[in-house]
Amino acid sequence: WLEDADEEGTDKFVFDELKFFDPRKKDSDFYMIDKKKQRGINCRFGMRGIIAENHMDLSRNTIALLGGERRYIIAHPEQCTKMGLYPHEHPSGRHSSFDWCNPTEWDIHPEFKEARVSEVVMHAGDVLYLPTAWFHYIVNLSINIQCNIRSGIGEENMNFVNECGFDPR
């Protein structure tokens, strides 16, 4: 959709500020694997203490933190069976079905205690790339501004996604 972007249009200012996300630029290849499948930039504001429950996105995701701090707990898609996900036909099927902040709920999903995860604390100026189907749980550590862009579905993790009962097609 950017090929037709008006040089003075309302969407132009975001790409002027985040040049590395602009698919019209040659150097954006580093952040976007498949420029033709990007769906624009999404920006979010976060307040301290607000969380985004664990979930996976079925596309590549590059996240830039423009201000503040965020904590990401991430897991490889091979951990899918340990994430306590809702059934795949559920409207929130890509999300964990329990509150990670409440250890008493961990007993409902004992497999979660065996999950291998990593923690990343992002500060203003940091960029995080999440390949297709990587799990992420987000805690806002301060007031923050985050923008991300998606660039198509990578095939490298589809076997894990399929084993877990999801069909991304």
Side-chain angles (χ1 to χ4, degrees), residues 12-99:
K12 181 182 177 297
F13 82 96
V14 176
F15 289 106
D16 286 347
E17 293 300 317
L18 302 173
K19 293 180 184 355
F20 52 87
F21 278 165
D22 189 338
R24 298 172 293 188
K25 307 276 189 229
K26 182 176 169 65
D27 60 354
S28 70
D29 288 344
F30 183 76
Y31 296 98
M32 287 186 291
I33 296 168
D34 189 347
K35 291 182 184 185
K36 292 178 183 158
K37 295 198 176 166
Q38 69 85 23
R39 299 182 313 216
I41 295 176
N42 298 298
C43 295
R44 296 173 180 88
F45 299 93
M47 299 294 292
R48 183 173 191 228
I50 301 299
I51 63 169
E53 295 293 348
N54 180 56
H55 66 284
M56 68 169 159
D57 296 317
L58 293 175
S59 61
R60 299 176 186 106
N61 195 356
T62 302
I63 304 154
L65 196 64
L66 306 180
E69 296 85 29
R70 279 184 165 204
R71 176 183 180 216
Y72 281 75
I73 299 174
I74 61 175
H76 188 279
E78 71 186 4
Q79 300 298 304
C80 188
T81 59
K82 299 175 182 170
M83 295 287 115
L85 300 178
Y86 285 106
H88 67 280
E89 63 277 352
H90 189 279
S92 295
R94 298 175 295 108
H95 294 74
S96 287
S97 61
F98 66 103
D99 183 0

XYZ file of all heavy atoms in Angstrom, residues 12-99:
728
model
N 2.506 9.295 5.881
C 3.898 9.572 5.553
C 4.729 9.944 6.780
O 5.874 9.519 6.902
C 3.974 10.692 4.522
C 5.391 11.019 4.107
C 5.418 12.174 3.121
C 6.816 12.574 2.743
N 7.611 13.069 3.853
N 4.188 10.673 7.737
C 4.985 11.158 8.861
C 5.550 10.007 9.700
O 6.662 10.107 10.211
C 4.184 12.119 9.747
C 3.283 11.438 10.735
C 3.705 11.217 12.042
C 2.024 10.999 10.353
C 2.874 10.585 12.953
C 1.200 10.369 11.257
C 1.623 10.152 12.567
N 4.817 8.909 9.804
C 5.312 7.789 10.599
C 6.557 7.191 9.938
O 7.561 6.934 10.591
C 4.225 6.707 10.787
C 4.780 5.517 11.540
C 3.023 7.289 11.519
N 6.500 7.006 8.626
C 7.651 6.443 7.928
C 8.810 7.437 7.849
O 9.962 7.038 7.782
C 7.245 5.943 6.545
C 6.392 4.709 6.616
C 5.048 4.763 6.363
C 6.956 3.485 6.970
C 4.263 3.632 6.450
C 6.181 2.345 7.061
C 4.831 2.413 6.801
N 8.518 8.735 7.889
C 9.590 9.728 7.951
C 10.347 9.616 9.270
O 11.558 9.782 9.317
C 9.031 11.145 7.808
C 8.612 11.471 6.387
O 8.976 10.705 5.469
O 7.911 12.483 6.207
N 9.630 9.315 10.342
C 10.253 9.206 11.658
C 10.906 7.840 11.891
O 11.892 7.732 12.600
C 9.220 9.474 12.758
C 8.704 10.890 12.788
C 9.803 11.912 13.011
O 10.683 11.680 13.865
O 9.801 12.948 12.320
N 10.331 6.802 11.322
C 10.834 5.436 11.501
C 11.312 4.907 10.153
O 10.793 3.939 9.616
C 9.730 4.548 12.081
C 9.141 4.994 13.413
C 7.963 4.127 13.791
C 10.191 4.979 14.506
N 12.324 5.537 9.609
C 12.792 5.230 8.260
C 13.154 3.762 8.075
O 12.992 3.206 7.004
C 13.979 6.112 7.915
C 13.628 7.580 7.781
C 14.859 8.396 7.447
C 14.673 9.872 7.387
N 13.407 10.474 7.523
N 13.637 3.130 9.134
C 14.043 1.725 9.022
C 12.856 0.797 8.815
O 13.039 -0.354 8.444
C 14.851 1.289 10.245
C 14.206 1.587 11.564
C 13.314 0.698 12.138
C 14.501 2.764 12.228
C 12.715 0.970 13.349
C 13.921 3.042 13.453
C 13.021 2.141 14.012
N 11.621 1.264 9.025
C 10.421 0.472 8.777
C 9.799 0.760 7.406
O 8.838 0.132 7.020
C 9.364 0.750 9.834
C 9.530 0.009 11.121
C 8.832 0.414 12.238
C 10.348 -1.105 11.233
C 8.942 -0.262 13.442
C 10.471 -1.787 12.427
C 9.768 -1.368 13.534
N 10.320 1.746 6.697
C 9.724 2.151 5.423
C 10.095 1.152 4.339
O 11.253 1.066 3.928
C 10.209 3.555 5.051
C 9.479 4.145 3.864
O 8.908 3.370 3.057
O 9.489 5.374 3.724
N 9.122 0.381 3.837
C 9.437 -0.643 2.840
C 9.890 -0.081 1.501
O 10.377 -0.821 0.662
C 8.122 -1.417 2.700
C 7.079 -0.495 3.166
C 7.707 0.405 4.186
N 9.751 1.229 1.305
C 10.231 1.841 0.061
C 11.747 2.039 0.085
O 12.355 2.278 -0.936
C 9.542 3.181 -0.158
C 8.028 3.048 -0.321
C 7.346 4.391 -0.345
N 7.478 5.023 0.967
C 6.856 6.142 1.324
N 6.086 6.766 0.477
N 7.013 6.633 2.526
N 12.354 1.941 1.282
C 13.787 2.172 1.438
C 14.548 0.862 1.324
O 14.155 -0.153 1.893
C 14.088 2.802 2.804
C 13.296 4.049 3.101
C 13.952 5.251 2.484
C 13.271 6.508 2.969
N 12.914 7.413 1.959
N 15.657 0.900 0.657
C 16.475 -0.303 0.458
C 16.956 -0.889 1.786
O 16.949 -2.094 1.982
C 17.660 0.030 -0.443
C 18.534 -1.146 -0.761
C 19.611 -0.742 -1.739
C 20.689 -1.747 -1.929
N 20.521 -2.963 -2.467
N 17.374 -0.046 2.732
C 17.935 -0.558 3.988
C 16.879 -1.127 4.934
O 17.206 -1.668 5.977
C 18.773 0.504 4.695
C 17.988 1.754 5.046
O 16.813 1.869 4.644
O 18.556 2.617 5.730
N 15.600 -1.061 4.587
C 14.572 -1.663 5.443
C 14.570 -3.186 5.319
O 13.882 -3.867 6.068
C 13.185 -1.087 5.135
O 12.741 -1.521 3.869
N 15.350 -3.748 4.383
C 15.446 -5.202 4.244
C 15.883 -5.857 5.543
O 15.552 -6.999 5.817
C 16.447 -5.580 3.147
C 15.921 -5.280 1.762
O 14.698 -5.074 1.627
O 16.732 -5.240 0.833
N 16.669 -5.160 6.335
C 17.144 -5.719 7.597
C 15.984 -5.988 8.555
O 15.996 -6.950 9.298
C 18.150 -4.765 8.239
C 18.744 -5.292 9.507
C 19.720 -6.280 9.458
C 18.327 -4.838 10.740
C 20.267 -6.792 10.622
C 18.864 -5.340 11.903
C 19.840 -6.316 11.843
N 14.958 -5.151 8.523
C 13.829 -5.268 9.439
C 12.636 -5.991 8.843
O 11.783 -6.472 9.569
C 13.391 -3.886 9.930
C 14.464 -3.214 10.732
C 15.306 -2.279 10.167
C 14.655 -3.554 12.057
C 16.300 -1.678 10.904
C 15.651 -2.959 12.805
C 16.471 -2.029 12.229
O 17.456 -1.453 12.958
N 12.529 -6.021 7.530
C 11.369 -6.637 6.888
C 11.836 -7.653 5.857
O 12.474 -7.286 4.873
C 10.502 -5.581 6.222
C 9.744 -4.751 7.214
S 8.614 -3.646 6.409
C 9.740 -2.520 5.637
N 11.506 -8.889 6.088
C 11.931 -9.955 5.195
C 11.111 -9.953 3.909
O 11.638 -10.124 2.829
C 11.854 -11.307 5.920
C 12.852 -11.287 7.080
C 12.119 -12.466 4.987
C 12.721 -12.400 8.051
N 9.835 -9.761 4.023
C 8.959 -9.762 2.853
C 8.193 -8.444 2.816
O 7.096 -8.324 3.347
C 8.006 -10.958 2.905
C 7.235 -11.140 1.613
O 7.240 -10.221 0.764
O 6.621 -12.206 1.458
N 8.768 -7.445 2.186
C 8.182 -6.100 2.162
C 6.770 -6.081 1.595
O 5.937 -5.303 2.020
C 9.053 -5.168 1.328
C 10.374 -4.833 1.916
C 11.088 -3.866 0.992
C 12.470 -3.570 1.477
N 13.113 -2.560 0.649
N 6.480 -6.939 0.633
C 5.168 -6.941 -0.007
C 4.069 -7.392 0.955
O 2.898 -7.137 0.711
C 5.196 -7.841 -1.231
C 6.067 -7.280 -2.329
C 6.128 -8.202 -3.509
C 7.074 -7.597 -4.534
N 7.603 -8.566 -5.437
N 4.433 -8.058 2.031
C 3.423 -8.563 2.963
C 3.311 -7.735 4.238
O 2.589 -8.095 5.150
C 3.708 -10.019 3.297
C 3.569 -10.892 2.073
C 3.412 -12.317 2.409
C 3.187 -13.086 1.126
N 3.336 -14.493 1.305
N 4.021 -6.645 4.302
C 3.886 -5.799 5.488
C 2.530 -5.132 5.481
O 1.945 -4.911 4.436
C 5.033 -4.790 5.571
C 5.022 -3.707 4.520
C 4.156 -2.521 4.888
O 3.876 -2.274 6.064
N 3.705 -1.798 3.899
N 2.007 -4.871 6.676
C 0.657 -4.308 6.805
C 0.663 -2.977 7.537
O -0.267 -2.651 8.253
C -0.227 -5.312 7.546
C -0.355 -6.624 6.810
C -1.268 -7.568 7.522
N -0.961 -7.640 8.937
C -1.036 -8.731 9.670
N -1.416 -9.852 9.140
N -0.752 -8.719 10.949
N 1.719 -2.229 7.399
C 1.777 -0.930 8.045
C 2.374 -1.008 9.438
O 2.650 -2.071 9.968
N 2.580 0.140 10.016
C 3.148 0.248 11.358
C 2.013 0.352 12.363
O 1.056 1.094 12.166
C 4.054 1.488 11.469
C 5.273 1.336 10.559
C 4.491 1.712 12.900
C 6.159 2.553 10.531
N 2.133 -0.406 13.462
C 1.191 -0.308 14.578
C 1.948 0.275 15.757
O 3.022 -0.219 16.101
C 0.664 -1.694 14.968
C -0.087 -2.336 13.833
O -1.087 -1.816 13.387
N 0.413 -3.460 13.359
N 1.402 1.307 16.371
C 2.042 1.913 17.544
C 1.106 1.796 18.736
O -0.117 1.890 18.596
C 2.381 3.373 17.282
S 3.625 3.589 15.973
N 1.725 1.549 19.892
C 0.952 1.388 21.121
C 1.616 2.179 22.238
O 2.834 2.278 22.292
C 0.894 -0.086 21.523
C 0.153 -0.943 20.519
C 0.271 -2.426 20.883
N -0.429 -3.240 19.919
C 0.101 -3.702 18.798
N 1.354 -3.418 18.500
N -0.600 -4.441 17.974
N 0.780 2.671 23.121
C 1.267 3.348 24.313
C 0.985 2.440 25.495
O -0.083 1.832 25.568
C 0.543 4.688 24.498
C 0.768 5.623 23.351
C -0.118 5.667 22.292
C 1.882 6.438 23.322
C 0.087 6.514 21.217
C 2.103 7.289 22.251
C 1.206 7.331 21.201
N 1.941 2.328 26.394
C 1.766 1.459 27.549
C 1.893 2.225 28.850
O 2.658 3.186 28.946
N 1.135 1.797 29.830
C 1.204 2.364 31.175
C 1.864 1.348 32.098
O 1.686 0.136 31.933
C -0.205 2.681 31.697
C -0.960 3.686 30.863
S -0.232 5.323 30.888
C -0.538 5.800 32.561
N 2.587 1.812 33.073
C 3.293 0.941 34.007
C 2.333 -0.088 34.622
O 1.230 0.240 35.054
C 3.927 1.773 35.117
C 4.718 0.932 36.071
C 5.465 1.787 37.054
N 6.395 0.932 37.758
C 6.532 0.930 39.060
N 5.838 1.753 39.810
N 7.398 0.120 39.619
N 2.768 -1.351 34.621
C 2.010 -2.425 35.245
C 1.021 -3.126 34.332
O 0.535 -4.198 34.660
N 0.711 -2.544 33.185
C -0.225 -3.179 32.256
C 0.514 -4.297 31.525
O 1.659 -4.143 31.112
C -0.788 -2.151 31.250
C -1.499 -1.012 31.981
C -1.711 -2.829 30.238
C -2.688 -1.438 32.811
N -0.166 -5.432 31.355
C 0.454 -6.568 30.686
C -0.317 -6.947 29.425
O -1.490 -6.602 29.282
C 0.544 -7.804 31.616
C -0.858 -8.290 32.006
C 1.393 -7.530 32.822
C -0.870 -9.639 32.683
N 0.353 -7.649 28.553
C -0.287 -8.326 27.422
C -0.031 -9.804 27.661
O 1.121 -10.237 27.734
C 0.308 -7.871 26.100
N -1.104 -10.556 27.838
C -0.967 -11.986 28.146
C -0.170 -12.703 27.073
O -0.118 -12.274 25.919
C -2.353 -12.625 28.285
C -3.173 -12.100 29.445
C -2.612 -12.459 30.822
O -1.710 -13.306 30.931
O -3.096 -11.883 31.803
N 0.422 -13.807 27.463
C 1.232 -14.591 26.542
C 0.426 -14.996 25.308
O -0.712 -15.443 25.410
C 1.744 -15.849 27.242
C 2.578 -16.687 26.316
O 3.545 -16.216 25.755
N 2.188 -17.936 26.146
N 1.050 -14.821 24.155
C 0.421 -15.201 22.893
C 1.492 -15.340 21.822
O 2.644 -14.952 22.023
C -0.617 -14.162 22.463
C -0.029 -12.832 22.133
N 0.397 -11.946 23.102
C 0.223 -12.240 20.943
C 0.866 -10.849 22.522
N 0.781 -11.009 21.207
N 1.090 -15.904 20.697
C 1.966 -15.948 19.535
C 1.255 -15.244 18.383
O 0.035 -15.259 18.297
C 2.308 -17.381 19.144
C 1.150 -18.181 18.604
S 1.726 -19.724 17.895
C 0.206 -20.668 17.940
N 2.053 -14.608 17.539
C 1.538 -13.992 16.322
C 1.970 -14.865 15.157
O 3.089 -15.370 15.132
C 2.099 -12.578 16.152
C 1.643 -11.650 17.261
O 0.450 -11.703 17.617
O 2.465 -10.876 17.764
N 1.101 -15.023 14.198
C 1.405 -15.883 13.056
C 2.018 -15.088 11.901
O 1.677 -15.279 10.742
C 0.157 -16.647 12.625
C -0.316 -17.664 13.668
C -1.633 -18.304 13.251
C 0.745 -18.724 13.911
N 2.925 -14.177 12.268
C 3.697 -13.433 11.275
C 4.990 -12.959 11.935
O 5.114 -12.980 13.156
C 2.900 -12.239 10.743
O 2.588 -11.354 11.785
N 5.930 -12.542 11.099
C 7.179 -11.978 11.622
C 6.855 -10.625 12.251
O 6.024 -9.892 11.730
C 8.185 -11.780 10.495
C 8.568 -13.041 9.795
C 9.505 -12.702 8.616
N 9.771 -13.872 7.831
C 9.253 -14.109 6.623
N 8.429 -13.230 6.072
N 9.558 -15.196 5.972
N 7.546 -10.293 13.325
C 7.221 -9.085 14.062
C 8.513 -8.388 14.481
O 9.335 -8.982 15.179
C 6.393 -9.482 15.292
C 5.693 -8.323 15.934
O 5.852 -7.173 15.543
N 4.913 -8.623 16.958
N 8.691 -7.149 14.057
C 9.825 -6.340 14.485
C 9.280 -5.213 15.341
O 8.401 -4.465 14.912
C 10.607 -5.786 13.279
O 11.041 -6.882 12.469
C 11.818 -5.002 13.726
N 9.803 -5.114 16.562
C 9.273 -4.200 17.574
C 10.344 -3.165 17.924
O 11.467 -3.535 18.258
C 8.891 -4.987 18.845
C 7.889 -6.094 18.487
C 8.361 -4.065 19.924
C 7.928 -7.266 19.432
N 9.992 -1.893 17.857
C 10.907 -0.808 18.234
C 10.306 -0.077 19.428
O 9.144 0.321 19.390
C 11.119 0.149 17.073
N 11.097 0.079 20.475
C 10.636 0.830 21.647
C 11.159 2.256 21.526
O 12.370 2.483 21.482
C 11.131 0.166 22.935
C 10.416 0.617 24.192
C 8.941 0.232 24.150
C 11.054 0.024 25.430
N 10.240 3.205 21.433
C 10.614 4.603 21.210
C 10.795 5.373 22.503
O 11.449 6.405 22.524
C 9.565 5.283 20.336
C 9.260 4.582 19.014
C 8.210 5.351 18.240
C 10.510 4.383 18.200
N 10.196 4.888 23.575
C 10.327 5.545 24.865
C 9.905 4.607 25.970
O 9.060 3.734 25.771
N 10.516 4.733 27.138
C 10.149 3.919 28.293
C 10.813 2.556 28.297
O 11.814 2.327 27.619
N 10.239 1.633 29.107
C 10.779 0.293 29.245
C 9.655 -0.733 29.194
O 8.560 -0.493 29.698
C 11.524 0.112 30.584
C 12.753 0.967 30.751
C 12.454 2.351 31.278
O 11.453 2.504 32.017
O 13.183 3.286 30.931
N 9.973 -1.888 28.616
C 9.054 -3.024 28.551
C 9.836 -4.302 28.812
O 10.962 -4.441 28.347
C 8.413 -3.153 27.167
C 7.259 -2.241 26.938
C 6.645 -2.523 25.589
N 5.337 -1.882 25.567
C 4.348 -2.251 24.810
N 4.485 -3.263 23.987
N 3.205 -1.630 24.854
N 9.191 -5.219 29.487
C 9.775 -6.538 29.736
C 9.049 -7.552 28.859
O 7.817 -7.624 28.885
C 9.598 -6.901 31.204
C 10.077 -8.271 31.568
C 9.782 -8.527 33.050
N 10.222 -9.830 33.443
C 9.591 -10.602 34.310
N 8.462 -10.171 34.871
N 10.053 -11.770 34.624
N 9.800 -8.301 28.092
C 9.249 -9.365 27.254
C 9.752 -10.698 27.787
O 10.953 -10.858 28.003
C 9.710 -9.224 25.797
C 8.971 -8.194 25.002
C 9.215 -6.836 25.181
C 8.032 -8.573 24.066
C 8.531 -5.884 24.452
C 7.342 -7.625 23.329
C 7.599 -6.286 23.530
O 6.917 -5.337 22.805
N 8.842 -11.622 27.994
C 9.211 -13.008 28.252
C 8.856 -13.741 26.972
O 7.695 -13.735 26.551
C 8.477 -13.581 29.469
C 8.857 -12.766 30.710
C 8.824 -15.055 29.656
C 8.104 -13.141 31.957
N 9.869 -14.325 26.340
C 9.681 -14.925 25.022
C 10.014 -16.413 25.058
O 10.800 -16.860 25.896
C 10.521 -14.199 23.949
C 12.014 -14.277 24.260
C 10.075 -12.749 23.817
C 12.914 -13.684 23.185
N 9.385 -17.155 24.163
C 9.645 -18.592 24.074
C 9.557 -19.039 22.620
O 8.719 -18.565 21.856
C 8.637 -19.374 24.917
N 10.422 -19.959 22.287
C 10.446 -20.560 20.952
C 9.142 -21.327 20.730
O 8.572 -21.885 21.678
C 11.651 -21.504 20.852
C 11.892 -22.018 19.485
N 11.182 -23.072 18.956
C 12.769 -21.625 18.524
C 11.607 -23.310 17.725
N 12.570 -22.447 17.441
N 8.659 -21.413 19.502
C 7.426 -22.151 19.210
C 7.461 -23.625 19.630
O 6.414 -24.229 19.852
C 7.277 -22.016 17.696
C 8.001 -20.765 17.359
C 9.154 -20.691 18.318
N 8.649 -24.203 19.777
C 8.722 -25.601 20.233
C 8.173 -25.765 21.646
O 7.889 -26.878 22.070
C 10.159 -26.117 20.153
C 11.074 -25.511 21.182
C 12.530 -25.896 21.024
O 12.878 -26.599 20.055
O 13.318 -25.482 21.897
N 7.985 -24.678 22.355
C 7.438 -24.705 23.715
C 5.907 -24.678 23.723
O 5.275 -24.629 24.776
C 7.984 -23.532 24.533
C 9.494 -23.529 24.675
C 9.994 -24.758 25.399
O 9.573 -25.052 26.511
N 10.892 -25.493 24.763
N 5.296 -24.724 22.579
C 3.848 -24.571 22.421
C 3.041 -25.458 23.376
O 2.097 -24.994 24.002
C 3.464 -24.852 20.973
S 1.752 -24.491 20.588
N 3.407 -26.717 23.495
C 2.623 -27.638 24.328
C 2.748 -27.329 25.818
O 1.990 -27.882 26.614
C 3.043 -29.096 24.074
O 4.440 -29.225 24.374
C 2.772 -29.496 22.626
N 3.655 -26.426 26.180
C 3.860 -26.069 27.586
C 3.264 -24.711 27.944
O 3.401 -24.255 29.074
C 5.355 -26.078 27.905
C 5.968 -27.451 27.696
C 7.452 -27.420 27.894
C 8.000 -28.813 27.616
N 9.442 -28.822 27.549
N 2.610 -24.072 26.998
C 2.110 -22.711 27.191
C 0.694 -22.643 27.747
O 0.202 -21.561 28.024
C 2.182 -21.920 25.879
C 3.597 -21.687 25.359
S 4.475 -20.456 26.339
C 5.775 -21.439 27.043
N 0.013 -23.781 27.901
C -1.350 -23.764 28.440
C -2.300 -22.948 27.586
O -3.083 -22.144 28.111
N -2.247 -23.147 26.284
C -3.058 -22.350 25.356
C -4.524 -22.752 25.388
O -4.867 -23.893 25.692
C -2.543 -22.521 23.930
C -1.104 -22.107 23.667
C -0.746 -22.387 22.220
C -0.864 -20.656 24.017
N -5.367 -21.795 25.048
C -6.764 -22.110 24.788
C -6.812 -23.079 23.605
O -5.890 -23.104 22.784
C -7.544 -20.847 24.416
C -7.862 -19.923 25.564
C -7.181 -18.728 25.719
C -8.869 -20.236 26.474
C -7.484 -17.866 26.762
C -9.176 -19.387 27.521
C -8.480 -18.208 27.654
O -8.779 -17.355 28.684
N -7.900 -23.831 23.456
C -8.030 -24.681 22.260
C -7.946 -23.819 20.996
O -8.369 -22.658 20.992
C -9.427 -25.298 22.406
C -9.750 -25.185 23.854
C -9.046 -23.958 24.363
N -7.393 -24.383 19.925
C -7.157 -23.582 18.723
C -8.431 -22.996 18.123
O -8.383 -21.963 17.476
C -6.365 -24.364 17.673
C -7.096 -25.520 17.078
N -7.203 -26.730 17.710
C -7.773 -25.639 15.929
C -7.905 -27.552 16.962
N -8.267 -26.918 15.876
N -9.602 -23.605 18.360
C -10.843 -23.050 17.805
C -11.419 -21.916 18.676
O -12.354 -21.234 18.274
C -11.896 -24.150 17.600
C -12.362 -24.839 18.853
C -11.449 -25.967 19.336
O -10.506 -26.343 18.636
O -11.687 -26.472 20.447
N -10.848 -21.698 19.851
C -11.283 -20.621 20.757
C -10.900 -19.266 20.143
O -9.874 -19.148 19.473
C -10.597 -20.816 22.117
C -11.099 -19.925 23.189
N -10.682 -18.621 23.319
C -11.981 -20.150 24.190
C -11.280 -18.076 24.362
N -12.075 -18.971 24.910
N -11.711 -18.220 20.349
C -11.370 -16.890 19.800
C -9.993 -16.388 20.254
O -9.369 -15.604 19.546
C -12.481 -15.978 20.332
C -13.617 -16.884 20.631
C -13.016 -18.211 21.017
N -9.532 -16.840 21.417
C -8.197 -16.454 21.901
C -7.225 -17.626 21.811
O -6.323 -17.767 22.633
C -8.286 -15.949 23.348
O -9.040 -14.770 23.408
N -7.404 -18.470 20.817
C -6.647 -19.706 20.689
C -5.142 -19.573 20.658
O -4.437 -20.512 20.976
N -4.609 -18.447 20.315
C -3.154 -18.259 20.286
C -2.616 -17.741 21.616
O -1.440 -17.425 21.740
C -2.760 -17.266 19.173
C -3.113 -17.715 17.786
C -2.818 -16.649 16.738
N -3.648 -15.454 16.906
C -3.211 -14.265 17.349
N -1.952 -14.085 17.634
N -4.039 -13.246 17.477
N -3.480 -17.661 22.636
C -3.120 -17.086 23.936
C -3.112 -18.149 25.034
O -3.869 -19.108 24.984
C -4.135 -16.006 24.335
C -4.112 -14.816 23.452
N -4.638 -14.820 22.171
C -3.627 -13.574 23.652
C -4.480 -13.622 21.629
N -3.870 -12.850 22.508
N -2.274 -17.909 26.054
C -2.309 -18.767 27.234
C -3.635 -18.577 27.950
O -4.187 -17.478 27.991
C -1.161 -18.437 28.191
O 0.062 -18.892 27.653
N -4.123 -19.654 28.526
C -5.459 -19.640 29.139
C -5.429 -19.322 30.629
O -6.457 -19.404 31.287
C -6.125 -21.003 28.932
O -5.359 -22.015 29.560
N -4.273 -18.962 31.143
C -4.186 -18.678 32.571
C -3.271 -17.477 32.808
O -2.534 -17.052 31.929
C -3.690 -19.905 33.345
C -2.270 -20.295 33.038
C -1.252 -19.987 33.916
C -1.950 -20.963 31.868
C 0.056 -20.338 33.637
C -0.653 -21.320 31.577
C 0.357 -21.006 32.463
N -3.355 -16.948 34.009
C -2.632 -15.744 34.401
C -1.215 -16.112 34.845
O -1.024 -16.695 35.903
C -3.393 -15.052 35.528
C -2.758 -13.749 35.964
O -1.711 -13.361 35.407
O -3.323 -13.118 36.875
